[in-house]
Amino acid sequence: MRIGSRIFPYPNLNNNHNLSDYTMESDFSLKIDFKENGDIYRTRNSIILKNTRYVLKDKDLENYISSGDANVALIVECSASLFRKRYQITNKPQDIVIPIHLLKGEVFVSAYMYTVKGIKNYKSKNFDDDFKSYCFDLEPYSIFAADDGYKFKVEIDDEADNKNASVFMIIRQDDLDNVMKYQNDKDKIKIYLSPENYNSYEILKNEPTYNNVFFAMLVIPVLISSLDELKRLGNENSEMNTINGIIYEYKWFKSVCFSYKKETQKDLTYEEFIDMPSLELAQIVLNYSSSSGLKDFCNLMLKGMEDMDNESD
């Protein structure tokens, strides 16, 4: 939530001193560590807001925090992916980790200081001259210090993002009930859904927030069955007891090998393919979606409960 040039009916300490109602002696700022080249810290699956903290230089405002009358919140917003989340921060550095699939394009990170239960006779000796002789009563959750913070961009790896398109084809089958079926074809693994389930898939497929849940519920079980089928065929057919032999017969398996190498930094051998449980291999090549899906579902539930609490307030 960027404050910008918003006008408040009481003095506000803004990191942009041109917009602040305080003298230059006071300051409120959000601090995040970036790499030497200016990039945000990230892993393959996460964005890391490194050593996130605030810096406050105003004794009167510091006292409000010390007494529990005020807190500082960090807001992370990404309009392209409809992501918005609030985090509580302090003046002690902490790492904030955000799953990368929840973000896309420009991301804004800002911070503000707000009242917890309201403040009577709000004042500071560093009010500028227009407010110096006044006191103010602040309602709960009033913002009275802000920093519009940082902006960075999250580029989407289209190759990884479209991995399911290179391996799977989701098909509507009108005569199906709630039982999902699949067919292990030469070019792709075809997944057949009932009309009702296919409509649900159409709604969710373009929402990055639900990618891991979608993979965990729909794609991983089918991939496990398909990998087990390839292992059985390799035992029965000498022409398919090599990696190249499998790829020759089932072109989609090349994408599995590519993803495995990208994740582990080594080629998948036939011996490893046979010995490794299909459940384990499926999770590796699909970005550990089972574990990530569980975390994402938990976060979605907690966000829903938080939104309900905010509405009740």
Side-chain angles (χ1 to χ4, degrees), residues 11 21-23 122-128 131-132 134:
D21 300 312
Y22 280 67
T23 63
Y122 158 57
K123 61 183 177 180
S124 171
K125 66 179 181 181
N126 290 328
F127 283 170
D128 68 18
F131 299 101
K132 221 171 191 53
Y134 295 95

Side-chain angles (χ1 to χ4, degrees), residues 141 202 251:
Y141 304 107
E202 283 287 298
K251 293 181 176 61

Side-chain angles (χ1 to χ4, degrees), residues 81-132:
S81 64
L82 303 179
F83 178 82
R84 185 181 188 275
K85 188 168 182 179
R86 185 179 71 178
Y87 302 84
Q88 206 72 33
I89 62 172
T90 69
N91 56 1
K92 307 297 182 185
Q94 61 177 298
D95 290 350
I96 294 176
V97 180
I98 305 170
I100 199 167
H101 71 273
L102 297 178
L103 306 174
K104 180 180 180 181
E106 286 192 332
V107 180
F108 295 92
V109 183
S110 57
Y112 60 80
M113 180 176 171
Y114 65 95
T115 62
V116 177
K117 295 183 178 180
I119 293 176
K120 298 289 186 181
N121 299 318
Y122 158 57
K123 61 183 177 180
S124 171
K125 66 179 181 181
N126 290 328
F127 283 170
D128 68 18
D129 291 340
D130 292 336
F131 299 101
K132 221 171 191 53

Side-chain angles (χ1 to χ4, degrees), residues 177-189:
D177 50 21
N178 284 325
V179 177
M180 176 178 66
K181 295 184 179 180
Y182 82 97
Q183 183 177 344
N184 195 354
D185 276 2
K186 303 295 183 182
D187 294 322
K188 293 181 184 290
I189 300 172

